[in-house]
Amino acid sequence: MEANVESTKKPLLSARQVGIAAAFGGVALAIVLAGITIPIPGTVVVTDPRELFTTIGASLTGPVGGVVVGLLAGVADPSIQVVSMIAHVLGGVYNGFVYKNASWRFKDKKPVSLALWAAQVLVYYFVVIVPLIVGGIMVFFPDPANGSFFNLLGVVEVGAIPEALLTTVVSTIVMAALPERYRRPLW
């Protein structure tokens, strides 16, 4: 019986997984290269819709796919390329692990699954990606005007609220609309 369990395990990396990760990451990269941005009213912050593709793509393709998506999503960031790549890669790994082990586990209870998805995206923003970007800025671009890590973190997180909410709502709608076979983790 153990042999059957082993034979049905999905590989850590497959051509399909890499292809889908590259497609999602490629769309995120294209958005950055095209300069598609959305100004956040009342702030000097602009956002872009790449996070829709990074969160969904990394979640579906797992941690290894998350690395591919994260590299492509961050490689062309015009202002903080290295910081963005590191943050998006680690964020992709986070999304890959969390999706399979939280939201997907409740696929038969869709409201619970979608609530866990929304929580995953919000944690991705406020606990993973924004703190990593702020930390990277503090390390790679030290500037006494930035103040302390927590001061800069507070400013950036407040600026990220509209993007985080928009990404959470739109990606939750997408995940709700996708048939189960397209929401299944590929790893």
Side-chain angles (χ1 to χ4, degrees), residues 9-87:
K9 275 188 155 181
K10 292 182 182 176
L12 185 59
L13 185 64
S14 70
R16 181 174 181 220
Q17 179 185 6
V18 171
I20 290 172
F24 275 92
V27 172
L29 175 60
I31 288 168
V32 173
L33 290 175
I36 299 170
T37 59
I38 304 163
I40 305 287
T43 72
V44 297
V45 177
V46 296
T47 185
D48 60 53
R50 82 177 125 166
E51 296 302 339
L52 286 169
F53 298 94
T54 59
T55 54
I56 294 171
S59 294
L60 296 177
T61 60
V64 175
V67 170
V68 173
V69 173
L71 283 171
L72 291 169
V75 72
D77 199 307
S79 57
I80 52 171
Q81 182 182 27
V82 172
V83 173
S84 183
M85 279 189 352
I86 292 168

Side-chain angles (χ1 to χ4, degrees), residues 131 134-135 137-139 143-156:
V134 170
I137 289 170
M138 300 293 286
V139 169
D143 180 0
N146 286 338
S148 73
F149 171 81
F150 292 107
N151 288 343
L152 185 56
L153 180 64
V155 169
V156 176

